[in-house]
Amino acid sequence: MTQINTTWIEASVVENEVHMSIVELSHAARTPQELIMSWVSEGVLSPVGSSPEDWRFSGDSLRRAKTAAHLTHDLELNVPGVALALDLLDEIAQLRSRLLRES
Amino acid sequence: MKFRDYYETLGVARGATEAEIKAAYRKLARKYHPDVNKEAGAEEKFKEIGEAYAVLKDTEKRAAYDRFGENWKNGQDFTPPPNWNEGFEYADNGFGGGHPGYGGGFEGDQSEFFESLFGRGNHRQGGRGGQSRQGMNFKGQDHHAKILVDLADAYNGAKRTIALHMPTLDANGHVSTQERKLDVSIPKGIKAGQNLRLAGQGGPGVGQGPAGDLYLEIDFHPNALYRIDGKDVFIDIPLAPWEAALGTTVNVPTPAGSTLELKIPAGTVAGRKMRLKGKGIPSAEPGDLYVVPTIALPPANTDSQKEAYENFGKAFDFNPRSHLKG
């Protein structure tokens, strides 16, 4: 194992500071643009803007798109299956949060 | 090196059909997928399942693996005999595909056992520098990694040195792992699940294209004192029964490192949260710190302690089970 350079880096928080075009999201989530478009039409992602060229995705979309890409690849889920799984995962997260707050 | 019983991993018989293997894999993959299962160890288990499936779904690999016979058990010390796989031909090299999934695709995810038998996959090379064609300019690949930070870092901000292990491919096609150290500013207010973007720290660009970005997904180190939900933080504060009944003042340690004095009112009940507004994870709208009282009973060991409890009981006409009508 060799060691390379050391650099000091300022980072931006994607969820707070970043908006992405479909090209950037496709690159960051390593997912074809067509698949992202099909997730948008299924309601998995909700960009602002009228056409794919104008779409602006919020920073939260990255995590969602990454999860959708993992589920598509690992479990071979189709688009409606991914949408259902993400909705259920959201619901589980909300229930976990409520459990923590009510315990 | 330990032997891996891939049939046992998937919970199928050695004579299982392809369809049975696929069904067993799918069922386990759904159960242990790291996006679905947040239990500790789920990701590790998911990778084991993926590795087992990569071998057993592939006719050639399965046939080669089956040569070891059924006497080998999971975890037994194992060295593959020389030329053990002579005469077998594989369609791919290790795991196939460079897809963005967890199962199959990440260099270094395979066990030593798998690598000694089937070699390492040769995808995920950390950039495509060697494939540059004249006049073609592409942005480099975006990379992703997970890092753990302390809750205190979210309160105070921090500078942290992180070590990332990156597989790289040399000119001769050999894979080696390089350690790359980055000193990263962790911004105040960061929350679990958020991503930091380090511009230009991903894979190298092709031609004149810029380098890709590095995304770091944040999670907190497990913390014995605090529970965290988004920007809100919870801490249990144990009280003696007399403190809860009569009221007291306690010192509450905050994740920022300071101590807050908190007045506990008389008649405090276990579990009834007290909110310290704005003392959660900082942001434009900061989270809250919740103090959750619990009641701690001192054990009655000595005679005088036992007597104290008896006197305690005599002083009250108290039946905690009155609602049971027993």
Side-chain angles (χ1 to χ4, degrees):
Chain A
M1 195 174 287
T2 50
Q3 187 180 325
I4 336 176
N5 54 340
T6 301
T7 353
W8 275 101
I9 304 155
E10 293 294 323
S12 45
V13 181
V14 174
E15 282 71 10
N16 300 347
E17 304 164 44
V18 176
H19 283 83
M20 293 185 179
S21 67
I22 188 166
V23 176
E24 289 170 314
L25 184 63
S26 161
H27 200 77
R30 297 181 159 198
T31 301
Q33 292 183 28
E34 301 74 48
L35 196 52
I36 292 179
M37 284 186 220
S38 62
W39 290 338
V40 171
S41 61
E42 198 72 26
V44 170
L45 299 170
S46 309
V48 181
S50 48
S51 64
E53 304 83 65
D54 302 330
W55 280 348
R56 303 297 288 165
F57 292 88
S58 69
D60 288 322
S61 306
L62 175 62
R63 185 174 16 157
R64 238 174 136 65
K66 271 166 63 183
T67 306
H70 293 158
L71 295 172
T72 302
H73 172 250
D74 295 333
L75 304 180
E76 292 181 32
L77 296 190
N78 61 13
V79 172
V82 164
L84 175 65
L86 281 173
D87 284 350
L88 293 175
L89 288 174
D90 284 346
E91 197 175 330
I92 291 170
Q94 283 167 16
L95 291 172
R96 283 204 177 111
S97 163
R98 200 192 292 173
L99 203 63
L100 180 80
R101 287 164 182 278
E102 288 176 359
S103 65
Chain B
M1 181 171 37
K2 305 290 182 201
F3 185 81
R4 290 208 165 190
D5 186 338
Y6 290 140
Y7 291 100
E8 190 183 306
T9 302
L10 293 185
V12 294
R14 293 185 73 87
T17 63
E18 271 183 55
E20 285 166 347
I21 287 169
K22 184 174 180 180
Y25 164 73
R26 283 291 171 74
K27 197 171 173 185
L28 291 168
R30 284 196 302 273
K31 184 173 174 187
Y32 290 104
H33 196 280
D35 284 321
V36 177
N37 190 329
K38 298 297 177 194
E39 302 281 312
E43 188 167 343
E44 197 50 42
K45 179 88 178 157
F46 184 75
K47 285 173 184 167
E48 284 173 26
I49 297 160
E51 181 177 309
Y53 185 55
V55 174
L56 298 188
K57 76 173 177 190
D58 181 304
T59 318
E60 288 87 8
K61 285 202 187 81
R62 184 179 177 187
Y65 176 78
D66 281 348
R67 278 190 162 190
F68 297 124
E70 52 196 290
N71 294 327
W72 287 97
K73 301 275 174 272
N74 246 340
Q76 233 177 314
D77 280 324
F78 173 83
T79 310
N83 304 322
W84 70 277
N85 59 352
E86 202 177 357
F88 287 96
E89 196 179 310
Y90 308 122
D92 61 40
N93 180 11
F95 283 112
H99 301 284
Y102 285 95
F106 290 91
E107 204 61 60
D109 279 355
Q110 300 102 315
S111 68
E112 193 189 352
F113 175 71
F114 181 96
E115 284 178 7
S116 77
L117 299 188
F118 303 110
R120 303 174 77 143
N122 62 358
H123 45 271
R124 291 265 168 163
Q125 300 144 9
R128 300 179 192 143
Q131 298 170 5
S132 169
R133 271 175 285 166
Q134 202 152 22
M136 301 285 274
N137 299 318
F138 296 110
K139 189 186 175 192
Q141 280 192 324
D142 287 349
H143 289 177
H144 293 264
K146 282 185 184 173
I147 62 166
L148 293 175
V149 301
D150 291 326
L151 179 57
D153 297 344
Y155 272 74
N156 302 322
K159 291 198 187 294
R160 289 278 172 267
T161 301
I162 57 167
L164 299 175
H165 301 281
M166 285 187 48
T168 47
L169 200 67
D170 67 19
N172 302 320
H174 294 121
V175 177
S176 64
T177 305
Q178 284 191 316
E179 190 185 70
R180 184 174 173 222
K181 284 195 171 169
L182 292 173
D183 289 331
V184 183
S185 295
I186 307 295
K188 189 171 165 173
I190 194 77
K191 295 188 278 293
Q194 289 190 322
N195 289 272
L196 295 180
R197 182 166 75 177
L198 282 60
Q201 296 294 331
V206 175
Q208 301 298 310
D213 300 331
L214 172 64
Y215 290 89
L216 298 176
E217 190 182 324
I218 300 290
D219 204 354
F220 291 123
H221 284 294
N223 192 303
L225 285 187
Y226 303 101
R227 297 185 297 280
I228 307 154
D229 183 33
K231 56 187 180 179
D232 294 333
V233 179
F234 300 76
I235 181 170
D236 287 340
I237 295 288
L239 301 170
W242 50 90
E243 290 175 330
L246 306 177
T248 185
T249 303
V250 295
N251 290 325
V252 178
T254 74
S258 61
T259 303
L260 295 173
E261 213 169 68
L262 179 68
K263 197 167 184 303
I264 304 290
T268 288
V269 175
R272 189 181 291 163
K273 290 188 281 291
M274 286 171 271
R275 184 172 72 144
L276 301 175
K277 198 167 162 28
K279 300 292 182 189
I281 293 180
S283 70
E285 287 175 40
D288 301 322
L289 176 62
Y290 288 90
V291 172
V292 187
T294 62
I295 309 293
L297 284 177
N301 294 328
T302 67
D303 286 344
S304 67
Q305 286 165 347
K306 286 175 188 162
E307 196 184 334
Y309 266 114
E310 280 158 11
N311 291 333
F312 191 42
K314 281 178 202 154
F316 293 90
D317 179 20
F318 180 59
N319 178 6
R321 295 169 301 283
S322 54
H323 63 293
L324 298 178
K325 300 183 177 69

